[in-house]
Structure formats: C-alpha cells, structure tokens
Amino acid sequence: MGGAASQASTSTGTGANANRRRGAVVAALMLSMAVVALDSTIVSTAVPQIVGDLGGFSVFSWLFSGYLLAVTVTLPVYGKLSDTFGRKPVLIGGTVLFLLGSTLCAASWNMGALIAFRVVQGLGGGAIQGTVQTLAADLYPLKERPRIQARLSTVWATSSVAGPALGGLLASGAGWRWIFLINLPVGALALWLVARQLHEPVREKGPRAPIDWAGALAVFACGGVLLTALVQGGVAWDWLSTPSIALFGTGIALIGVVVAVERRAAEPIIPGWVWRRRTIAAVNLALGALGLLMVAPTVFVPTYAQAVLGLAPMAAGFVLSAMTLSWPVSAAMSQHVYRRIGFRNTAVVGITAAVLILLAFPLLPYPGAAWQPALIMLALGAALGLFQLPLIVGVQSTVGWAERGTTTASVLFCRQIGQTLGAALFGAVANTVLARRLGGAGSLDAVAKALENPTSIADPDRLRHAVATAVDAVYVGAAGAAALALIILLTLAPRRFPALDQEPAPEPDATGSRPREDGATTPRG
C-alpha cells in the first residue's frame, strides 16, 4: 500500500517537474520570439537618430532589406539542420548569432558596418523564427497546440504595438545604440532557459547523410539575388534598368543551379517531398498569398492614417494595432472551429471573410474617422487568425519529428517570399495610381512626407484624395491575393489533413462526437 502511494507520489512529482520544465521552455521561446519581433519596429523609429549620427541616408533602407534577406534565405537551411541535429543546438546557435549581431550593431562606426551587422542579426533571426515555431509543435500535442501558437501570436502583437514607442524612447533618451543592447539581457535569459530546461529525446545514432552545404550555398545565393532584385527594384533603380534585368537573369540562372544541386544531394536542403505532398504544397502556396496580402495593412495603413486622416505617427500605429489585437484572440479560438469542421474548412471561412473585409476598405468615406479603418483592421485580424493558425497546426500534424523543421521552415519561407513580392507589387500599384491621379510621376512616400507640412502645398486635399485612391487600389489587390489563397485551398488542399501525431485517443465530447485526425469531429457510431 505504502509502495503504491510512494510510486504515485513519484509519478506526480515527475509530471509536475515536466510541466515546470515545459513552462520554462515556453517562456524561453516567447522571449526569443520577442527580441526578433521587436527588432524591425524598434529600429524603424530610430532611423533619424541613426542617420544623423552615422550618415548614409541614401542606403539606410538596407538596415531592413539586409536583415529581411538574411532571415528569408536561411529559413530552409535552419529547418533542415534542426531536423538533422535537433532543435536545441540550432536555437542556441541562432540566438548566440543574433546577440552577437546586436552587440556589433551597437558598436557600429558607420552605416556600412551597421548594415553588415544587421545581416549577422538576420542570420540568427532566421534560426530563431523557424525553430521556435517547430518547437511549439514538438512540445504540445495536437489538441493543445493552439495554446502555444496563440501565445506566440500575442508576442508579435505586443511587439508591434510596443516596438515603435520603445524605439523612440530609447533613441531620444539613452541613444539609438541601446535599441540593440536591450536585446542582450532578454536574449541571454532565453538562452539560459533553453540550455537548462530543453531536453530533447535521445534519438538512435546511425549513419547520417552529409549536410548539403552546396545546396545551402545555392539556396542562399539564389534567394539573396532574387530578393535584392525585388526589394530594390523601383526604389534604387527602375524595374527595366540594367541592374534589375541583370539580377533577375542571375536569379533565374541560380534557380537552375539549385534544382541541379538538390537533385544530386542525398539529403537536400529543400527536399522534393515538400512540393510533392499535396497538403504541404497547398499550405505553402496559401500562406505565400497571405504574405502577399499582408503588405496592404502593415505597410499602407499607417501611411493612410497619417496622410489622409491626419493622425500623428503614434495614433496611426494604434489603427494598425487593432489587427494585431484581434489576431491572437481569433487564433486561440480557432481550435473550437477546426475541431468541428476541419483545418481546411476553417481556413476557408477565415480567408473568405478576409476577401470581403479587404473589399470593404475602398468603401470607407473620405476622409472619414479613425475608428473606421481601425474597425476594418480589427475584423481583418480576426479573419486572418482563423485562416493562418489552422493551416500551420494542420500541416505540422501531417509530418513526424524528423520532417517537422523542414516543413515549418518551408511555410515561413513562402510567407516571407510573399511579403517581399507584395511590397514590390503593391508599391508599384500605389505609385502608378498616384502618378495617374496627379498627372505625372509620383511616389507615395514623397507625397506622404509632403503632407506632413500641408501649409507648404497649394492643394493638399488633392494630394490626400490621391493617396486615398492609391491605398484603395492596394486593398483591391490584397483582396485578389486573398481570393487566390481561397482558390488554392479549394482546389489543392485535401478536405482532411492526414494527421500523424501519436496521441492517446480522446474521449467523446458532450455531443457524443469524437475528434478526427484532421481536427474535425466524427459522430459516434
């Protein structure tokens, strides 16, 4: 009797220790994600101080482009490495690299050095983004996974709201170098928690295929060239200029190199099964379309709020933050939907609502009140939370541990590529509409800056009308991207995701239904 009690007590203690350990790891993941999520928003508000101190105004945009390039092109590489060596060494290595980049950024002596060190930060940021999302799936079974994903979404939402204010406070008070130094204590705490508390299961040791370093280099070079062409096209040079044509031509040639190298590799960085499996391919394409449409709210709403509504930068940021507040709430609640109707159908509901909401933006009155676009953003966040999370949870459940890192990285990679394409495409759309309305060449950024001092403009209302029309056109394009995601889901994604998670069979719910593998419920009997 006493032995049984002792055994039960030991089992309870072991379970409590495991829960505490998992809680510490989740805290580390949230801290790691926070430093990455804060990075872009906190740096953007300090640009005037950075340029004033270091100079280099003509190239300061590379503070963001260089970081984005490094994060995007390394995602597939880190995904494969985490499947080969485990999540812990990749996350620790990426965090150390990110903190090293932050330290070097704080010590920068000119704009060229700062841009180079931002690339180092991005090399670490790619490891953090992909590995954190993969570990979230490793730590929690399918039934509980929305909880951790909602927490990570909350981190992004909080960072998008707090980042600009914190960046402005540090840059004007302690100095812009502190926007990088603040990463060190937060990242060090996350690093310590991961090192102490994350214990991955011991896997059988056997023959391991050599790392496809040639493929990694080819992917890095190809992605870097094509993303540079997209990011700088129409900004640093014209789309049909010699630099653009040369970069796109080189990128297309490097695509052929990537395909040739990956076909010969024993364990390719981007394995063919990522695109041969219907579920993964459909989710990759759908989330690529999500990245495309996300440019409309994240890039153009702040400009609309300031140039058309006349709001201050802080107030304009709060208009956008309405979306980031509803997104994690909707994501957390999505499990109650997809357990009833399945992953794909839940995502279809979310993206259908997003199409209608995006089309509603051009119907807003001119100039209107700030609460009107904020309400649109609130509804859009709810719709996209219902769209994105079921697809990520669903696709992660279709693969085992050894393929989850590669799968998660492919999803994030496609979303990042979509955002880069969207920035180039919708930037061109906005500038074209603006030029047509103003009767000549025009730049949305230039007009928005001119409207900061409307007394110096002969007809400011005409410019505001032009900006409003340009942003309306972008939202129509974003609705088209959402419709594309809907078509992809309806034509390519299977009705039921073939989940592979090994979990105890759940008990029937109050209605007598039992959850299916794909997250929906099947009536008993």
Side-chain angles (χ1 to χ4, degrees):
M1 188 76 153
S6 175
Q7 185 177 6
S9 175
T10 302
S11 176
T12 302
T14 302
N17 288 336
N19 286 334
R20 280 196 296 270
R21 185 179 297 117
R22 188 169 69 167
V25 173
V26 169
L29 298 185
M30 294 177 70
L31 288 172
S32 299
M33 189 64 83
V35 295
V36 173
L38 275 170
D39 194 74
S40 295
T41 55
I42 199 172
V43 172
S44 62
T45 54
V47 165
Q49 288 82 4
I50 293 173
V51 171
D53 189 14
L54 301 180
F57 177 79
S58 61
V59 294
F60 84 87
S61 64
W62 275 100
L63 290 176
F64 309 98
S65 300
Y67 179 85
L68 173 66
L69 289 172
V71 168
T72 303
V73 299
T74 54
L75 277 168
V77 178
Y78 287 126
K80 186 63 181 179
L81 291 177
S82 74
D83 284 342
T84 304
F85 297 106
R87 326 296 188 212
K88 185 174 181 176
V90 173
L91 181 56
I92 288 177
T95 305
V96 169
L97 196 56
F98 184 87
L99 296 181
L100 173 63
S102 298
T103 304
L104 293 172
C105 285
S108 298
W109 53 92
N110 59 35
M111 185 62 76
L114 181 57
I115 290 170
F117 298 146
R118 283 282 287 166
V119 172
V120 175
Q121 261 194 318
L123 295 176
I128 294 172
Q129 282 195 34
T131 311
V132 164
Q133 292 285 353
T134 306
L135 271 168
D138 290 344
L139 287 171
Y140 286 85
L142 179 58
K143 184 178 180 180
E144 301 177 37
R145 204 165 292 160
R147 182 167 58 184
I148 177 62
Q149 291 287 359
R151 289 181 186 177
L152 295 178
S153 296
T154 302
V155 169
W156 279 101
T158 304
S159 300
S160 67
V161 175
L166 182 59
L169 182 65
L170 289 173
S172 60
W176 65 264
R177 297 180 191 274
W178 279 94
I179 68 175
F180 299 106
L181 292 175
I182 197 173
N183 292 332
L184 301 185
V186 179
L189 177 58
L191 198 60
W192 180 79
L193 287 172
V194 169
R196 288 287 301 265
Q197 302 296 336
L198 178 58
H199 302 292
E200 295 187 279
V202 178
R203 293 173 293 137
E204 294 182 6
K205 292 185 178 180
R208 179 182 290 162
I211 298 297
D212 179 24
W213 294 117
L217 181 61
V219 169
F220 193 90
C222 178
V225 169
L226 287 176
L227 288 174
T228 300
L230 289 169
V231 168
Q232 295 299 303
V235 179
W237 48 70
D238 293 333
W239 284 109
L240 297 179
S241 64
T242 300
S244 267
I245 294 172
L247 284 171
F248 279 115
T250 303
I252 292 170
L254 285 172
I255 290 176
V257 173
V258 170
V259 172
V261 170
E262 296 296 79
R263 280 184 172 178
R264 292 187 176 92
E267 289 289 340
I269 291 295
I270 303 180
W273 55 259
V274 168
W275 294 106
R276 287 195 298 268
R277 296 182 191 177
R278 183 180 168 191
T279 304
I280 301 175
V283 171
N284 282 345
L285 292 174
L287 289 183
L290 171 65
L292 195 67
L293 74 89
M294 280 299 297
V295 172
T298 57
V299 175
F300 290 93
V301 160
T303 299
Y304 177 89
Q306 293 180 67
V308 178
L309 303 181
L311 300 179
M314 185 70 72
F318 280 118
V319 172
L320 176 60
S321 70
M323 181 183 70
T324 62
L325 295 176
S326 60
W327 190 316
V329 175
S330 173
M333 299 299 292
S334 68
Q335 60 177 314
H336 301 295
V337 183
Y338 70 65
R339 288 188 178 279
R340 292 287 179 182
I341 65 176
F343 293 121
R344 190 198 74 160
N345 290 341
T346 303
V348 165
V349 171
I351 200 64
T352 301
V355 172
L356 299 176
I357 294 164
L358 289 165
L359 288 175
F361 191 94
L363 302 178
L364 293 177
Y366 173 86
W371 66 265
Q372 294 166 332
L375 183 62
I376 293 284
M377 293 301 98
L378 190 71
L380 184 61
L384 295 180
L386 207 59
F387 167 71
Q388 177 182 257
L389 185 63
L391 292 182
I392 291 179
V393 172
V395 78
Q396 286 179 330
S397 70
T398 66
V399 294
W401 188 97
E403 296 177 340
R404 191 172 288 148
T406 299
T407 300
T408 303
S410 73
V411 169
L412 298 178
F413 178 74
C414 288
R415 191 176 65 187
Q416 291 280 90
I417 292 294
Q419 287 180 315
T420 306
L421 285 170
L425 175 63
F426 292 138
V429 168
N431 289 335
T432 300
V433 172
L434 197 67
R436 188 176 301 161
R437 292 278 302 193
L438 298 178
S443 163
L444 187 64
D445 288 339
V447 172
K449 288 178 181 177
L451 284 169
E452 292 177 1
N453 185 21
T455 57
S456 62
I457 305 171
D459 191 358
D461 193 58
R462 179 168 175 258
L463 291 186
R464 289 195 181 93
H465 264 292
V467 172
T469 304
V471 175
D472 287 347
V474 168
Y475 265 80
V476 172
L484 176 61
L486 176 61
I487 293 170
I488 290 168
L489 290 179
L490 292 176
T491 58
L492 295 181
R495 290 180 181 272
R496 295 180 58 179
F497 282 24
L500 298 180
D501 279 29
Q502 300 298 317
E503 299 175 18
E507 293 296 325
D509 60 20
T511 65
S513 298
R514 188 183 301 274
R516 290 196 321 236
E517 282 185 325
D518 69 340
T521 55
T522 303
R524 184 171 54 185

